Each structure stands twice: as structure tokens, then as C-alpha cells.
């Protein structure tokens, strides 16, 4: 076992079911327009919140930091993110996955085409039966958040395109490719949150971009054992080849090795470098993040926790302790929020 490494920055590393019959009919992915009551919208919001709570503990934890007025929007956007991210594992055939992405691509187009108004708590479609958002809980919740915030349709389409590419290319050959994917998914999600909070700026967007990359890389490393059990190596080929990682041994033995630890360390270092770059965006304020965007940047705390825990076990991604939830995380998240630092 190699000695515990310290973080370093190098030049080349600088860098569901829905309740049937409630909000959508028995025809899955129905796009039939309907009149939606405030009760239906509330159920859609509850569905999204429950989805995040069940499938993304860390996102649900940080969601509590958002002002109440923004939480439904956050849950809608995160539920959409989770929905896209889980398509690949949820389908048995590529064509089925493509079908889901076609649905979401069309749903987003319809959501942004819809014009409507609220009257006595009831949504009336003004589209004469055309281009209404589908009766899917996440689509209904997304439509609601687009009514309340100026969100760019491009960001939704970018996330869909990136996730669809995973159906055909589940692995990355280069760090550059993996970084581009992270920017199109995690970073783009943060851009939507900034828009929802009405806090768009070059500094915030730059910091969010690097945070998204760090979060994506750290998440991939934590999930490496799961992906390895499916015969997929999440570390880019240029890194595994550089360190002589024998991928078939990783898949069959489901155990660490010096070569794999070296590869994990290199990718973790890239993630850590991106975290440091995100922090540097706030150096003029002594590292203090404006309170309005601190809920978003609190997402850095779970990411930092993953990287710290990896370091503590010498970058052995198969170490049993990494599969146990960090019980100190809630305290760290709230401490970070109140100190306005990440």
C-alpha cells in the first residue's frame, strides 16, 4: 500500500413510479393537454421533493438551505436532473432510452411554448390543445418553475443531449471529454439554479462551472464500484492507461490495486483543483460567498467530503467506509452555510 498522498496541483491537472391516474393517464408519456388545478400542481411538487429525498440525499440536505419560495423550483430542477441521470440504468435497451430522451426533449419544447395564465388557482391552456406540457409530474413542476423564473431552454436541451450520449458512450477516453460532460450536466444544473435565484453573473457562473466539474468527478469516483460491477470504467482511458490499470481485473476482482489508486488519485486531484478554482472566485471577499447564492455553493460540502474520505483511505474506492453515509455531513453543510464559505 502506498503512503497517504497529500493534495497537489500540477500543470496538467489544473484544470418511479408516479401515482397512476393522478396527474397522467394510463398512456405513459401522454402529451394530451389538460386543465391543472392547484392541487395537481401541489402533487407534482410533492412528487419531485420525494424523488430528490429518496434518490439524492445530499441534494435534499442542501435544499433545506434555500428560501421556501425557491424550494419547489429546486426540487423540480433536481428531479429532472435525476430523471435524466437514471435513464441509462433504468432501461434494458438503447432504443428504450432514446425513447425517454425523445419524450423529455419534446416535453421541454412544449413547456417553453405554452402560454397560459392563472385564474382562481386553475391553469387554463391558451394553446387550444397544442403544445401543452405532458401530464407527467416532473413536466408539470418544470412548467411551474419556468412560469416563475426566466430559465434558458438551451440548458435543458444541453442536459438531455449529454445524458443521451451516455447510452452510446458510457466511458470517456480523455479528461477533456469527461470535463465537457460534467459541464453539460452538473454545471448546467447550477446555471439553472442561478437563473432561478436571479443571481446570474460572470463570477457566479465561473465558480458554478468548476463546482459542477468537481461534483461530477467526485460522484463518479464514489460510484466506481457500482459501475465496475457493470463492466464500466468511469475513469478516463488516458488516466487508466497512464497508470497501467488492468480494467478486467477491476471488474472481476472488485478490489483495489496500486495502479487503480494512482488513477483514482489523479482524477480526485483534478476534482480538488476545480474546487479550489471555484473558491478563488470569492477571494476578493475573503472567501465569503454572498448569502443569496450560498445555498447553491453549499453543494461543495458533500463533494469535499467525498474527496476527503477518499484521501483518508488512500484512494481505495472499494473501501467499505466509503459506502457508509457521512454522519457529520449535515453539521458541515449548515456550518458552511452560516459561515458563507465552502
Amino acid at each position: 500500500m502506498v503512503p497517504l498522498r497529500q493534495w497537489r496541483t500540477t500543470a496538467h491537472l489544473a484544470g418511479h413510479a408516479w401515482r397512476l391516474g393522478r396527474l397522467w393517464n394510463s398512456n405513459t408519456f401522454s402529451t394530451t393537454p389538460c386543465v391543472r388545478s392547484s392541487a395537481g400542481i401541489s402533487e407534482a411538487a410533492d412528487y419531485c421533493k420525494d424523488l430528490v429525498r429518496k434518490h439524492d440525499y445530499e441534494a435534499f440536505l442542501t435544499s433545506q438551505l434555500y428560501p421556501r419560495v425557491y424550494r419547489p423550483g429546486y426540487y423540480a430542477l433536481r428531479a429532472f436532473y435525476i430523471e435524466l441521470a437514471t435513464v441509462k440504468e433504468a432501461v434494458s435497451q438503447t432504443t428504450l432510452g432514446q425513447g425517454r430522451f425523445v419524450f423529455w426533449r419534446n416535453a421541454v419544447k412544449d413547456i417553453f411554448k405554452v402560454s397560459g395564465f392563472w385564474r382562481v388557482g386553475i391553469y387554463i391552456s391558451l394553446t387550444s390543445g397544442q403544445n401543452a406540457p405532458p401530464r407527467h409530474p416532473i413536466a408539470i413542476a418544470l412548467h411551474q418553475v419556468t412560469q416563475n423564473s426566466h430559465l434558458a431552454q438551451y440548458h435543458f436541451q444541453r442536459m438531455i443531449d449529454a445524458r443521451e450520449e451516455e447510452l452510446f458512450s458510457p466511458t470517456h477516453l480523455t479528461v477533456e471529454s469527461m470535463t465537457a460532460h460534467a459541464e453539460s450536466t452538473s454545471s448546467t444544473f447550477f446555471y439553472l439554479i442561478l437563473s432561478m435565484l436571479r443571481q446570474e453573473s460572470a463570477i457566479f457562473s465561473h465558480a458554478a462551472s468548476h463546482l459542477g466539474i468537481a461534483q461530477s468527478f467526485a460522484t463518479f469516483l464514489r460510484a466506481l464500484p457500482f459501475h465496475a460491477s457493470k463492466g464500466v470504467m468511469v475513469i478516463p482511458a488516458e488516466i487508466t492507461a497512464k497508470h497501467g490499470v488492468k480494467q478486467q481485473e477491476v471488474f472481476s476482482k472488485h478490489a483495489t490495486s496500486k495502479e487503480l489508486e494512482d488513477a483514482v488519485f489523479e482524477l480526485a486531484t483534478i476534482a480538488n483543483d476545480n474546487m479550489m478554482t471555484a473558491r478563488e472566485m470569492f477571494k476578493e471577499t475573503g472567501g465569503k460567498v454572498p448569502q443569496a447564492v450560498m445555498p447553491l455553493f453549499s453543494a461543495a460540502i458533500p463533494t469535499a467530503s467525498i474527496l476527503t474520505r477518499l484521501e483518508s483511505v488512500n484512494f481505495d474506492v472499494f473501501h467499505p467506509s466509503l459506502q457508509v453515509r457521512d454522519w457529520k455531513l449535515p453539521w458541515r453543510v449548515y456550518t458552511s452555510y452560516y459561515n458563507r464559505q465552502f
Side-chain angles (χ1 to χ4, degrees):
M1 184 70 70
V2 295
L4 185 66
R5 306 167 178 85
Q6 298 296 318
W7 293 117
R8 56 179 170 78
T9 303
T10 60
H12 70 285
L13 295 180
H16 341 40
W18 174 238
R19 304 174 186 89
L20 294 180
R22 288 259 183 129
L23 296 178
W24 53 327
N25 59 21
S26 59
N27 296 319
T28 305
F29 301 150
S30 168
T31 57
T32 304
C34 66
V35 176
R36 295 178 176 81
S37 68
S38 58
I41 294 170
S42 176
E43 287 185 341
D46 288 343
Y47 174 87
C48 292
K49 179 179 179 179
D50 193 51
L51 183 70
V52 175
R53 181 179 61 81
K54 290 181 178 179
H55 298 281
D56 196 336
Y57 163 74
E58 292 158 356
F60 185 77
L61 183 63
T62 58
S63 72
Q64 305 306 301
L65 304 177
Y66 286 81
R68 288 186 180 276
V69 67
Y70 291 120
R71 288 182 197 173
Y74 176 85
Y75 291 133
L77 293 171
R78 196 62 187 179
F80 178 70
Y81 183 92
I82 294 170
E83 179 76 12
L84 298 182
T86 55
V87 166
K88 184 177 180 297
E89 300 302 328
V91 299
S92 57
Q93 299 178 19
T94 300
T95 52
L96 295 177
Q98 286 179 287
R100 291 201 181 190
F101 288 119
V102 168
F103 166 75
W104 282 112
R105 192 171 282 111
N106 291 334
V108 167
K109 290 179 181 177
D110 289 345
I111 286 169
F112 278 88
K113 286 179 182 177
V114 167
S115 60
F117 64 90
W118 292 92
R119 180 187 296 165
V120 195
I122 298 178
Y123 170 77
I124 308 294
S125 175
L126 298 182
T127 57
S128 301
Q130 299 296 321
N131 300 321
R135 287 183 285 185
H136 185 292
I138 296 178
I140 293 172
L142 283 179
H143 176 257
Q144 179 64 14
V145 70
T146 60
Q147 294 292 300
N148 299 329
S149 306
H150 296 291
L151 305 181
Q153 181 178 350
Y154 163 76
H155 290 321
F156 292 93
Q157 300 292 357
R158 185 183 186 188
M159 291 168 66
I160 293 171
D161 292 343
R163 292 301 184 182
E164 187 172 24
E165 289 178 5
E166 292 180 341
L167 294 174
F168 307 97
S169 302
T171 60
H172 295 278
L173 296 179
T174 65
V175 173
E176 181 180 6
S177 170
M178 192 173 185
T179 299
H181 178 271
E183 290 176 336
S184 297
T185 52
S186 294
S187 298
T188 298
F189 169 76
F190 288 140
Y191 299 154
L192 285 169
I193 296 299
L194 284 174
S195 296
M196 182 188 73
L197 296 175
R198 297 177 176 84
Q199 295 293 329
E200 296 168 293
S201 76
I203 292 177
F204 296 161
S205 295
H206 192 179
S209 174
H210 286 283
L211 174 57
I213 295 169
Q215 183 187 69
S216 182
F217 282 22
T219 301
F220 269 122
L221 287 174
R222 180 174 58 182
L224 191 152
F226 169 78
H227 290 291
S229 70
K230 305 293 183 180
V232 176
M233 174 53 68
V234 296
I235 302 176
E238 71 170 315
I239 294 180
T240 57
K242 172 183 175 181
H243 296 286
V245 175
K246 297 179 177 61
Q247 295 191 21
Q248 289 304 317
E249 287 189 7
V250 176
F251 301 154
S252 60
K253 295 182 179 180
H254 215 60
T256 191
S257 65
K258 179 183 182 304
E259 293 78 13
L260 181 60
E261 288 171 3
D262 289 342
V264 170
F265 170 64
E266 182 164 340
L267 191 62
T269 299
I270 299 175
N272 192 61
D273 288 349
N274 275 279
M275 283 280 287
M276 291 194 297
T277 301
R279 293 186 185 111
E280 287 175 1
M281 294 298 101
F282 302 99
K283 63 182 179 181
E284 292 186 1
T285 57
K288 295 286 186 178
V289 178
Q291 197 68 52
V293 293
M294 193 57 216
L296 183 159
F297 289 101
S298 293
I301 307 308
T303 299
S305 174
I306 295 172
L307 297 176
T308 299
R309 296 176 75 191
L310 267 174
E311 183 184 22
S312 70
V313 296
N314 207 31
F315 302 93
D316 173 7
V317 290
F318 290 101
H319 198 282
S321 67
L322 299 180
Q323 304 308 314
V324 179
R325 185 173 290 176
D326 182 1
W327 65 272
K328 294 182 180 179
L329 188 58
W331 176 80
R332 288 171 177 162
V333 166
Y334 285 106
T335 299
S336 170
Y337 174 76
Y338 287 112
N339 290 333
R340 291 171 46 204
Q341 293 181 311
F342 65 92

